């Protein structure tokens, strides 16, 4: 099956260079909105979209910021909210969305285009062949363009691999979930992108049973915290307190970069996938880097040991802290570059995408994820910003800023459905359409179909005007 980039402009799209350096942030809302005339303009869809964006900006300038971090089901990184109060606040943003619906490529009530283009599919759907068959049947009925299917979960392979062990949840050694899915999906006209978790390799309370797991084979690759402890030694309660998703590998270890790149190469060379999709291509939110390899690499680079920063004079310490942040960012970028080279070696032109944090200030400061630069440099063909914040206003603010500073052709906003009612998710989708984003993804297929009525309700809200937002999912 041939990947179809034309609708998103992948072949010819150019990402405008920002006025700032790699450390620019889409979160600097007041600065960006105050200098809108200096930013790249949306394409001439034009007066109507510009007017809609203006209405949206007026509604959002005073809106409080919320974190936009990568959530897990049941652990979404957001403070508890009153669902009724949130729905009332969202009604303001929803009113602005309704004011912009006249700029949609498809008018309200017109079902000529799909409600969404991509679905993230979590690995649990692959456990049984029947789940794969239902996935294809439903995705075809939803008229989506493609599936981002999790085939590398927690350091394990939901495909036939010589590098990774089989998942503990898949005891049947004769199964090849990716091999089963591809012919069914392609026959239905669906793209399949292989979703890989990169630096995150484990999250269960107990360690992996198989000795083939990377945590057992290469404990020296596991990231270490500021106190020197390996992340593999954290208890489930400590992970929750620190707000980390699990055990991460150290991006600064050259062998880690090669390991991740070889996994991508193995998938691309063995399977007729339509793209490679990277996730957890970042550091955890907690400071890491106290492993011997990271310290030695930085010492060669900058002539200092990160463990000794506290002993330096204030000015020198600030300089070293900045150099350390840049160094760590470059290590994550090096993984993306090596994956790109490895995939190109076996499948030239195979699209490479990544799920990225929607708040780029947090991404750079805490997770060393410079995804805007990855797009500019051509390391990624497309980025899927994870706009998972429950409030509609937060997501629309992120989308408005991204559309102005990064453009829309190579961004696919990811909208969560697991933590928000269908009407709120629909308002976010409509806002993305009005701002010129040609495609939208949902996280996730699995959450969407937990309840049989969730997709019909979402579809009804997307395809037609509606009243006040619901209070509950």
């Amino acid at each position: 099956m041939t990947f179809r980039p034309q609708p998103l402009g992948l072949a010819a799209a150019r990402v405008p260079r920002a006025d700032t350096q790699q450390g620019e942030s889409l979160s600097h809302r007041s600065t960006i909105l105050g200098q809108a005339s200096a930013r790249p303009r949306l394409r001439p869809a034009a007066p109507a979209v510009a007017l809609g964006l203006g209405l949206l900006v007026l509604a959002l300038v005073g809106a409080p910021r919320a974190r936009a971090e990568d959530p897990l089901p049941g652990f979404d990184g957001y403070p508890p909210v009153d669902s009724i109060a949130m729905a009332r606040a969202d009604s303001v943003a929803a009113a602005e969305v309704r004011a912009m619906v006249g700029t949609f490529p498809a008018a309200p009530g017109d079902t000529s285009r799909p409600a969404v283009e991509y679905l993230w599919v979590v690995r649990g759907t692959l456990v049984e062949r029947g789940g794969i068959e239902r996935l294809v049947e439903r995705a075809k009925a939803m008229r989506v363009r493609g599936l981002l299917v999790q085939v590398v979960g927690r350091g394990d392979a939901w495909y036939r691999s010589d590098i990774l062990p089989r998942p503990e949840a898949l005891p049947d050694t004769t199964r090849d979930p990716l091999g089963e899915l591809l012919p069914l999906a392609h026959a239905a006209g669906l793209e399949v992108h292989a979703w890989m978790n990169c630096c995150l390799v484990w999250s269960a309370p107990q360690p992996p049973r198989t000795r083939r797991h990377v945590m057992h084979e290469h404990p020296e690759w596991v990231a270490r915290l500021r106190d020197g402890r390996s992340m593999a030694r954290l208890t489930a309660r400590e992970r929750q307190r620190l707000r980390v998703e699990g055990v991460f590998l150290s991006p600064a270890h050259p062998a880690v970069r090669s390991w991740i790149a070889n996994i991508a190469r193995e998938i691309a060379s063995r399977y007729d996938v339509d793209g490679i999709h990277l996730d957890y291509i970042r550091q955890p939110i907690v400071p890491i880097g106290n492993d011997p390899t990271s310290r030695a690499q930085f010492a060669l680079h900058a002539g200092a040991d990160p463990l000794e920063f506290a002993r330096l004079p204030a000015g020198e310490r600030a300089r070293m802290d900045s150099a350390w942040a840049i160094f760590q960012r470059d290590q994550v970028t090096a993984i993306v570059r090596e994956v790109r080279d490895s995939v190109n070696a076996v499948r030239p032109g195979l699209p490479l995408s990544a799920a990225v944090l929607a708040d780029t200030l947090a991404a750079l400061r805490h997770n060393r994820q410079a995804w805007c630069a990855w797009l500019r440099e051509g390391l990624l063909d497309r980025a899927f910003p994870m706009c998972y914040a429950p409030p509609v206003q937060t997501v629309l603010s992120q989308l408005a800023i991204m559309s102005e500073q990064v453009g829309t052709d190579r961004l696919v906003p990811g909208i969560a459905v697991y933590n928000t009612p269908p009407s709120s998710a629909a308002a976010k989708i409509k806002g993305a359409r009005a701002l010129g984003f040609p495609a939208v993804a949902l996280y996730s297929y699995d959450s969407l179909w937990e309840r049989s009525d969730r997709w019909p309700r979402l579809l009804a809200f997307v395809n037609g005007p509606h009243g006040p937002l619901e209070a509950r999912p």
Side-chain angles (χ1 to χ4, degrees):
M1 179 177 178
T2 303
F3 182 75
R4 300 183 294 277
Q6 292 78 9
L8 294 185
L10 286 184
R14 298 179 62 188
V15 178
R17 297 188 68 86
D19 296 340
T20 53
Q21 300 300 314
Q22 281 191 351
E24 84 273 12
S25 169
L26 305 184
S27 303
H28 291 215
R29 178 169 58 213
S30 58
T31 301
I32 293 170
L33 297 180
Q35 300 175 357
S37 61
R39 297 297 181 189
R41 285 313 202 191
L42 293 173
R43 4 172 181 25
V49 174
L51 174 61
L53 180 58
L55 291 171
L56 181 61
V57 165
L58 288 174
L60 297 177
V61 165
R65 286 183 57 206
R67 291 188 300 273
E69 293 150 2
D70 182 20
L72 295 173
F75 180 63
D76 61 12
Y78 299 102
V81 294
D82 183 303
S83 61
I84 296 177
M86 187 179 79
R88 288 171 178 166
D90 283 352
S91 66
V92 176
E96 300 303 329
V97 171
R98 288 193 287 272
M100 292 188 292
V101 295
T103 68
F104 291 177
D110 183 353
T111 58
S112 62
R113 69 175 299 171
V116 296
E117 282 73 23
Y118 290 95
L119 298 171
W120 275 288
V121 181
V122 181
R123 58 198 183 277
T125 292
L126 308 179
V127 170
E128 297 178 356
R129 183 175 176 87
I132 294 174
E133 293 169 349
R134 283 190 298 274
L135 164 64
V136 172
E137 180 182 348
R138 288 169 174 171
K140 183 178 180 180
M142 293 170 67
R143 298 190 296 131
V144 301
R145 179 183 303 165
L147 308 172
L148 310 168
V149 183
Q150 191 176 50
V151 296
V152 178
R154 297 295 188 261
D156 47 27
W158 294 76
Y159 67 95
R160 296 198 183 281
S161 174
D162 295 331
I163 301 172
L164 301 173
R166 293 181 65 81
E168 294 179 3
L170 195 68
D172 184 351
T173 58
T174 65
R175 292 280 314 284
D176 177 7
L178 179 57
E180 295 167 8
L181 170 63
L182 280 167
L184 297 176
H186 286 170
L190 299 167
E191 299 171 7
V192 176
H193 297 249
W195 166 12
M196 295 174 45
N197 282 345
C198 297
C199 294
L200 177 68
V201 295
W202 196 249
S203 58
Q206 302 301 322
R209 290 197 292 264
T210 175
R211 303 309 298 179
R212 286 191 59 213
H213 195 276
V214 65
M215 282 176 56
H216 295 310
E217 286 197 334
H218 295 285
E220 73 279 9
W221 293 0
V222 176
R224 294 194 185 184
L225 303 176
R226 183 171 284 163
D227 61 7
R229 278 189 305 161
S230 166
M231 292 192 75
R233 298 180 65 84
L234 291 176
T235 65
R237 180 170 295 181
E238 286 176 310
R239 292 178 196 165
Q240 186 172 18
R241 178 176 58 82
L242 295 172
R243 295 178 53 246
V244 296
E245 300 88 341
V247 179
F248 282 70
L249 301 182
S250 171
H253 204 297
V256 169
R257 297 198 291 268
S258 298
W259 182 75
I260 294 171
N262 287 336
I263 294 169
R265 181 188 181 113
E266 179 179 62
I267 295 171
S269 62
R270 292 186 176 184
Y271 293 89
D272 186 25
V273 294
D274 300 289
I276 299 293
H277 181 69
L278 308 180
D279 195 7
Y280 286 102
I281 186 67
R282 61 182 188 266
Q283 293 189 175
I285 196 170
V286 294
I288 62 168
N290 287 342
D291 58 282
T293 301
S294 296
R295 291 169 57 194
Q297 293 264 15
F298 184 73
L300 289 173
H301 173 77
D305 184 345
L307 293 186
E308 304 298 323
F309 286 177
R311 301 183 181 182
L312 298 175
E316 181 66 9
R317 177 173 182 176
R319 189 177 73 84
M320 283 293 108
D321 283 340
S322 178
W324 176 241
I326 294 171
F327 168 80
Q328 289 192 308
R329 181 197 68 200
D330 290 345
Q331 307 314 301
V332 178
T333 297
I335 298 176
V336 182
R337 181 172 289 109
E338 192 158 339
V339 169
R340 171 103 259 180
D341 291 343
S342 295
V343 171
N344 280 346
V346 294
R347 294 274 301 278
L350 185 68
L352 179 64
S353 64
V356 298
L357 299 177
D359 184 338
T360 58
L361 180 60
L364 284 168
R365 283 184 175 175
H366 305 303
N367 305 94
R368 311 308 193 209
Q369 187 184 67
W371 64 264
C372 294
W374 301 347
L375 283 172
R376 285 200 306 269
E377 295 172 17
L379 298 180
L380 290 182
D381 295 297
R382 190 184 304 168
F384 286 68
M386 296 178 288
C387 303
Y388 295 167
V392 173
Q393 284 188 321
T394 301
V395 170
L396 296 185
S397 178
Q398 293 168 344
L399 294 175
I401 295 167
M402 283 188 283
S403 70
E404 280 286 288
Q405 197 172 28
V406 183
T408 59
D409 283 349
R410 297 205 288 168
L411 295 184
V412 181
I415 305 300
V417 293
Y418 73 90
N419 62 354
T420 191
S423 57
S424 296
K428 297 168 187 177
I429 293 169
K430 288 189 172 187
R433 301 291 193 208
L435 289 166
F437 290 93
V440 174
L442 286 186
Y443 182 82
S444 63
Y445 159 83
D446 315 82
S447 299
L448 187 66
W449 288 95
E450 280 178 348
R451 287 170 40 175
S452 61
D453 66 334
R454 187 169 287 174
W455 168 244
R457 289 166 63 201
L458 175 62
L459 185 63
F461 282 119
V462 170
N463 285 337
H466 53 83
L469 300 182
E470 304 161 290
R472 293 187 301 275

